[in-house]
């Protein structure tokens, strides 16, 4: 029998305390964190981290409804396979899982489906980056699917591609060797080049905005400006929890991370949550994007209330003409400036988390109008805290005590 280093340590120090530290507790029949280390001594959970500002919340959005290919079969096979085949310790189970994984891989990697995912993903990412600056990761099932998905994306956006590793907006990051298929060779880099890609991806000002991976960069890899993860690979348990944590790092005004599901990991997220809450943790691994949409609607109602008695229904065609009178209406309300600015700030934050939902897209023009009013009020009015009165805007000029001219 072969013993590991931990066993030698236990034999050498039989009376020592055995303490573990983890952010992703495991609770399986043959692997259980508490059965090895004992009960929890101290818990710092998801809610604590968010409350302290150490991380941001993670939101979940399913895009399965946008795809119409082999849903039932993909879901059936996904339920049967392990998230990472190499984790299987039993040889017979490993071979069985590999067979099921191969069948699922053929369905997921089918050309019509790849094209659908690529088309939806490109549109989603572009809409996402309109409301929040940053980067995204794409997780695919195999290296071959990574390449096919890359090809489908650059077919839609040729300017994203560049053969030079130091240029281009999209790259594949994976391991490989000279013996790999020709299909993979253009995307296999040596260790030094991968380090340069890592540096590029961590730099928010670098044009590299999208990376496609299979296993790399999913654990222990921090990129604060990464705000979205597209998952098209069966994952579960602690592997899933560690992967989605790539998007919960704090960065500038980043309101939250977003996990976009193309393969159906909702049940796995629920199971991961059960394991986490069984460990007495507070806060969900992910919140649904619909929850952010509910907040958006709530804050929109607040602004609608502020505009009671003022008709701005022609804002789509008459936005410029309505900007000044709308601003003056808000400035004429008791504490109107602060109430309006706070509400619009909350609207923009919520929209950045749910703006890719179809129902949220319908509000985009109205939100842009509110944001224009917010910019005008913020930039061109200054209220003297000593004197009283309401400032107003007129023909591009701020009038009325105690206003100051800034336009």
């Amino acid at each position: 029998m072969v013993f590991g280093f931990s066993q030698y340590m236990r034999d050498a120090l039989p009376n020592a305390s055995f303490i573990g530290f983890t952010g992703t507790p495991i609770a399986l029949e043959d692997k259980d964190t508490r059965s090895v280390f004992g009960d929890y001594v101290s818990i710092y959970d998801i809610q604590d981290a968010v409350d302290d500002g150490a991380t941001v919340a993670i939101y979940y959005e399913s895009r399965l409804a946008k795809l119409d290919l082999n849903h039932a079969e993909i879901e059936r096979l996904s339920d049967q396979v392990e998230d990472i085949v190499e984790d299987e310790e039993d040889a017979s189970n490993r071979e069985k899982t590999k067979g099921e994984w191969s069948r699922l891989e053929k369905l997921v990697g089918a050309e019509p489906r790849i094209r659908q995912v690529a088309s939806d993903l490109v549109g989603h990412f572009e809409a996402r980056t309109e409301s929040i600056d940053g980067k995204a990761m794409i997780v695919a099932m195999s290296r071959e699917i990574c390449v096919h998905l890359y090809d489908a994306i650059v077919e839609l956006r040729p300017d994203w591609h560049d053969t030079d590793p130091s240029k281009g907006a999209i790259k594949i990051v994976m391991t490989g060797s000279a013996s790999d298929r020709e299909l993979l060779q253009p995307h296999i880099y040596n260790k030094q080049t991968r380090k340069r890609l890592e540096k590029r991806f961590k730099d928010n000002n670098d044009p590299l905005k999208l990376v496609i991976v299979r296993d790399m960069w999913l654990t222990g890899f921090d990129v604060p400006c990464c705000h979205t993860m597209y998952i098209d690979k069966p994952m579960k348990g602690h592997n899933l929890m560690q992967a989605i944590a790539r998007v919960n790092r704090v960065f500038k005004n980043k309101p939250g991370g977003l996990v976009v599901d193309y393969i159906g990991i909702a049940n796995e997220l629920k199971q991961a949550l059960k394991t986490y809450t069984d460990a007495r943790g507070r806060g969900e691994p992910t919140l649904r994007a619909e929850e952010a949409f509910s907040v958006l609607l709530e804050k929109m109602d607040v602004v609608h209330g502020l505009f009671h008695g003022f008709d701005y229904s022609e804002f789509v065609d008459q936005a410029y003409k309505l900007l000044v009178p709308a601003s003056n209406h808000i400035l004429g309300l008791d504490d109107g400036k602060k109430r309006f600015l706070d509400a619009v700030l909350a609207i923009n934050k919520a929209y950045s988390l749910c703006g890719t939902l179809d129902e949220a897209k319908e509000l985009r023009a109205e939100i842009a109008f509110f944001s224009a009013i917010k910019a005008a009020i913020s930039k061109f009015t200054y209220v003297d805290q000593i004197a009283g009165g309401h400032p107003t805007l007129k023909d591009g000029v701020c009038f009325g005590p105690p206003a100051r001219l800034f336009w």
Side-chain angles (χ1 to χ4, degrees), residues 379-397:
K379 186 175 182 180
F380 303 119
T381 67
Y382 171 73
V383 177
D384 189 334
Q385 298 298 322
I386 298 177
H390 296 294
T392 59
L393 297 176
K394 184 177 181 181
D395 296 330
V397 179

Side-chain angles (χ1 to χ4, degrees), residues 56-173:
V56 297
I58 302 175
Y59 289 79
Y60 168 86
E61 179 182 348
S62 174
R63 301 293 289 183
L64 291 176
K66 302 297 180 181
L67 310 178
D68 58 7
L69 298 172
N70 301 314
H71 275 181
E73 184 66 8
I74 288 176
E75 184 176 357
R76 184 185 70 80
L77 287 173
S78 294
D79 290 339
Q80 297 177 22
V81 302
E82 292 289 338
D83 49 331
I84 297 179
V85 174
E86 291 80 358
D87 280 351
E88 282 283 5
E89 297 177 357
D90 181 79
S92 60
N93 286 341
R94 184 166 61 246
E95 290 306 314
K96 179 182 177 183
T97 301
K98 282 183 177 179
E100 292 166 345
W101 184 275
S102 296
R103 288 193 291 275
L104 177 60
E105 188 179 329
K106 289 181 180 178
L107 289 174
V108 172
E111 182 181 354
R113 184 182 180 279
I114 289 290
R115 289 183 175 276
Q116 278 198 5
V117 170
S119 177
D120 187 76
L121 191 153
V122 167
H124 186 282
F125 182 65
E126 290 179 333
R128 182 96 169 111
T129 51
E130 284 181 4
S131 58
I132 175 173
D133 183 37
K135 306 193 176 190
M137 297 178 70
I138 306 169
V139 186
M141 278 191 69
S142 68
R143 296 185 303 160
E144 288 77 10
I145 292 178
C146 286
V147 175
H148 292 314
L149 186 56
Y150 178 96
D151 291 342
I153 290 174
V154 299
E155 183 178 341
L156 296 170
R157 297 292 183 272
D159 56 314
W160 290 5
H161 168 75
D162 200 297
T163 56
D164 187 342
S166 64
K167 300 177 182 179
I170 182 172
K171 297 294 178 185
I172 299 175
V173 179

Side-chain angles (χ1 to χ4, degrees), residues 182-199:
E182 184 179 351
L183 172 73
L184 308 179
Q185 290 301 326
H187 305 283
I188 295 175
Y189 307 109
N190 58 34
K191 187 175 181 179
Q192 291 74 20
T193 302
R194 289 202 302 270
K195 279 292 183 182
R196 290 200 297 270
L197 288 175
E198 179 178 324
K199 185 177 181 180

